[in-house]
Amino acid sequence: MARTLAMFTDTSLCIGCRACQVACKQWNELGLETPEWTGTYQNHAHFTDKTYRLVRFLEVPGAHPNGDLAWLLMSDVCKHCAQAGCLEACPTGAIYRTEYGTVNINQDVCNGCRYCVASCPFGVVSFNEQTGTAKKCTFCNDRIHNGLGPACAKACPTDSIQFGFRDELVAKATKRVETLKGMGFKDAQLYGADSNGFLGGLNAFFLLLAKPASYNLPTNPQRPQRNVVVDSLLSIGSAILVGVGALLAFRERGKGDA
Amino acid sequence: MLKMPGWEMPIVWYFFLGGIAGGAYFTAAIADNFGSRRDHTVARVGYLLSLPLVAVCGLLLIIDLGVPARFMNMMLHFKFWDPMSLGAWVVGVFGAFTFVSSVLSFSSSESIAALRRKISLVGMLFGFFLAAYTGVLLSNSTMPFWAESRLMGALFLASGGSTGMAAVALIMFLTGGSISEGWHKIEVADRFTMLIEMLVLALFLAWLGSAAQPITSGHFGPLFWGGLVGGGLILPLLLNLFGGRVRVLGAVSAVLVLVGGFILRYVVVMSIQG
């Protein structure tokens, strides 16, 4: 595998211009959608099969360092998890990991079973009714294989989205958190940068100015497959009980009538 | 912020019919291997019922795909830890077992019967799997409620068993097979299975606590308590226990169990996606 690539989204630099969202839509030819009123500047409310980059506008009471309402901005995207629930769930092998560590859906193989949709801890993967397949951010797979960064990172005017080698970006992000803490942003933290942390680390990781919950992010996302052994063993237990019950009902005690 | 997979009525029907197919087959296999010669009717009805049901199951799965023509892509790939991948394979493999068992159930030759019994002991494992894995599939997701109890597979298995037995009993009643001793035995087996299902359901709810709210309260609450717990478990169990020799009460009990099994799949699948 080549050196792992990553996107680092520093929400402290985001100005909510949505250049990333537009660049993503244009480059990936994602097509028109009916807008949704969300009560904020955010549009759409969630990722869709035609929105892979989504700038979130969040008004969170008490999340400001001085205790006031915080107006948080975050350009959200597929996290390209090192332990990707969607990839593990995919029964056709359509979802695969590239040599750069990103997670991609082969649109020619996906048959639209939608288990990946139910297995994403972040609500990223979306089903497209027209193609009948699952859709999500490709990390601009075409661009990164031709020496270009993802369209969103390229378009970002404030370097809120940075693209590069993961180890270098994590080092940079760690320094940035310290700077922000020194400036009084006491809740400034990295989300998904730790490759020993949840989901083995995220290849699209974030710097947040408040707790993950303020951004509607799960505090401790988990692999959906983590319970498959326990659930299977308990199912086997149930099978033994039911099987023994049926056996007792049908068993011939005397064998005399056979 | 999570996204629902949009698994709706075809999947509810698949879970329900797959449970019956698995339950009917493993009950048939147990009756065939461990029962008496007179239980052969149970075995034959069970095998012959599971065959068309598993065929319908395969069709339901295919039509629910976004690109049905690509269903074979699941057969080009195998992940032993993935319920969706294993499930697709097992529908095919189990289907082959139901076909062979059904064909062999017509022979009166003792050597063929011995072969059929051996085959059904292996096929039975796939039947158990088909009845249970759909629950494990739901509980290994990131969805609220589905992913929060470790007993979804165990519950679906018990329900598959009770509905499979009820379906066999009902067919025997409707075709006049209820005069055989096998009818009484399958009634007893279904009684045990309903008791196990009630136990597993109680543990399931206890494990979930407030996370069970999508099915225990709100829009789906009355259906869950009235249709499954009351009408699909307690009432049929009472009819089964105290119906005595009134065979029609046994048949009513079987119908209620089947309706309850459908309601279980319906409330579990639809409640959080509604």
Side-chain angles (χ1 to χ4, degrees), chain A residues 25 31-37 43-46 48-51:
Chain A
K25 211 161 208 213
L32 293 172
E33 294 173 90
T34 308
E36 287 172 89
W37 168 251
N43 211 321
H44 295 268
H46 306 290
T48 72
D49 54 305
K50 297 185 185 75
T51 298

Side-chain angles (χ1 to χ4, degrees), chain B residues 139-154:
Chain B
S139 64
N140 284 270
S141 68
T142 54
M143 299 294 107
F145 166 58
W146 288 357
E148 287 168 88
S149 171
R150 305 279 56 86
L151 285 165
M152 191 80 89

Side-chain angles (χ1 to χ4, degrees), chain A residues 141-218:
Chain A
N141 199 47
D142 48 353
R143 292 174 62 98
I144 62 173
H145 281 87
N146 287 285
L148 298 164
C152 54
K154 208 78 171 176
C156 179
T158 64
D159 276 352
S160 173
I161 304 171
Q162 297 176 41
F163 162 73
F165 293 115
R166 191 174 196 281
D167 46 0
E168 289 175 7
L169 286 176
V170 169
K172 203 179 207 177
T174 308
K175 276 188 202 149
R176 175 73 182 156
V177 171
E178 292 315 310
T179 307
L180 286 165
K181 285 200 162 161
M183 289 165 69
F185 291 95
K186 58 181 176 9
D187 286 327
Q189 58 191 285
L190 296 181
Y191 185 80
D194 183 0
S195 52
N196 298 313
F198 58 74
L199 303 173
L202 309 177
N203 290 334
F205 63 96
F206 298 82
L207 187 157
L208 308 177
L209 290 177
K211 292 186 176 65
S214 297
Y215 295 85
N216 295 322
L217 289 167

Side-chain angles (χ1 to χ4, degrees), chain A residues 47 87 89-90 107 109-115 118 120-121 132 216 224 227-228 231 235 238-239 245 247 250 252 257, chain B residues 1-3 5-7 34-35 38 64-67 70 73 79 82 137 139-142 150 153-154 157 185 192:
Chain A
F47 290 110
L87 190 155
C90 179
Q107 292 294 321
V109 175
C110 173
N111 67 9
C113 80
R114 316 194 286 292
Y115 199 24
C120 175
N216 295 322
N227 293 312
V228 78
D231 295 9
S235 300
S238 177
L247 190 64
F250 281 99
E252 282 307 305
D257 65 337
Chain B
M1 285 306 188
L2 295 168
K3 273 223 152 60
W7 292 331
F34 306 105
R38 280 174 293 172
D64 196 60
L65 291 175
V67 191
R70 291 188 189 161
N73 287 4
K79 286 181 174 171
D82 179 16
L137 184 146
S139 64
N140 284 270
S141 68
T142 54
R150 305 279 56 86
L157 184 123
K185 287 183 172 178
F192 287 150

Side-chain angles (χ1 to χ4, degrees), chain B:
Chain B
M1 285 306 188
L2 295 168
K3 273 223 152 60
M4 301 297 160
W7 292 331
E8 295 185 353
M9 290 320 286
I11 296 303
V12 172
W13 279 104
Y14 165 60
F15 285 7
F16 173 63
L17 299 177
I20 297 176
Y25 188 95
F26 69 64
T27 305
I30 289 167
D32 207 6
N33 277 281
F34 306 105
S36 73
R37 204 175 285 255
R38 280 174 293 172
D39 299 331
H40 181 63
T41 315
V42 172
R44 185 153 74 176
V45 170
Y47 295 144
L48 290 176
L49 174 63
S50 58
L51 173 62
L53 287 185
V54 76
V56 172
C57 284
L59 288 175
L60 285 168
L61 281 184
I62 291 170
I63 62 160
D64 196 60
L65 291 175
V67 191
R70 291 188 189 161
F71 78 95
M72 279 302 289
N73 287 4
M74 284 185 185
M75 306 289 103
L76 303 174
H77 206 75
F78 180 76
K79 286 181 174 171
F80 67 87
W81 68 92
D82 179 16
M84 183 69 82
S85 176
L86 277 177
W89 278 93
V90 165
V91 169
V93 173
F94 179 65
F97 274 98
T98 62
F99 177 75
V100 171
S101 298
S102 294
V103 170
L104 296 185
S105 74
F106 287 105
S107 169
S108 53
S109 146
E110 193 46 46
S111 60
I112 296 281
L115 175 68
R116 182 188 69 226
R117 290 189 194 106
K118 285 203 183 77
I119 289 173
S120 72
L121 280 179
V122 181
M124 180 170 85
L125 302 178
F126 292 98
F128 278 120
F129 184 97
L130 182 64
Y133 98 89
T134 51
V136 177
L137 184 146
L138 293 184
S139 64
N140 284 270
S141 68
T142 54
M143 299 294 107
F145 166 58
W146 288 357
E148 287 168 88
S149 171
R150 305 279 56 86
L151 285 165
M152 191 80 89
L155 179 62
F156 276 25
L157 184 123
S159 171
S162 69
T163 52
M165 292 168 192
V168 171
L170 192 62
I171 290 172
M172 288 174 72
F173 175 80
L174 293 174
T175 56
S178 64
I179 45 167
S180 77
E181 186 194 359
W183 158 269
H184 174 66
K185 287 183 172 178
I186 202 155
E187 290 273 277
V188 174
D190 207 7
R191 186 180 310 161
F192 287 150
T193 309
M194 278 189 266
L195 285 167
I196 294 162
E197 187 179 348
M198 288 167 98
L199 171 72
V200 176
L201 181 62
L203 293 171
F204 173 80
L205 292 176
W207 195 314
L208 282 166
S210 63
Q213 276 173 2
I215 59 168
T216 55
S217 62
H219 186 56
F220 290 85
L223 198 54
F224 173 75
W225 293 110
L228 172 61
V229 178
L233 281 172
I234 295 172
L235 185 57
L237 184 64
L238 293 175
L239 287 173
N240 182 304
L241 281 170
F242 303 113
R245 293 196 200 85
V246 189
R247 293 184 191 281
V248 72
L249 291 180
V252 171
S253 167
V255 171
L256 290 172
V257 168
L258 287 168
V259 173
F262 183 83
I263 290 173
L264 170 68
R265 307 313 194 290
Y266 179 78
V267 296
V268 165
V269 172
M270 301 302 282
S271 59
I272 63 163
Q273 300 191 99

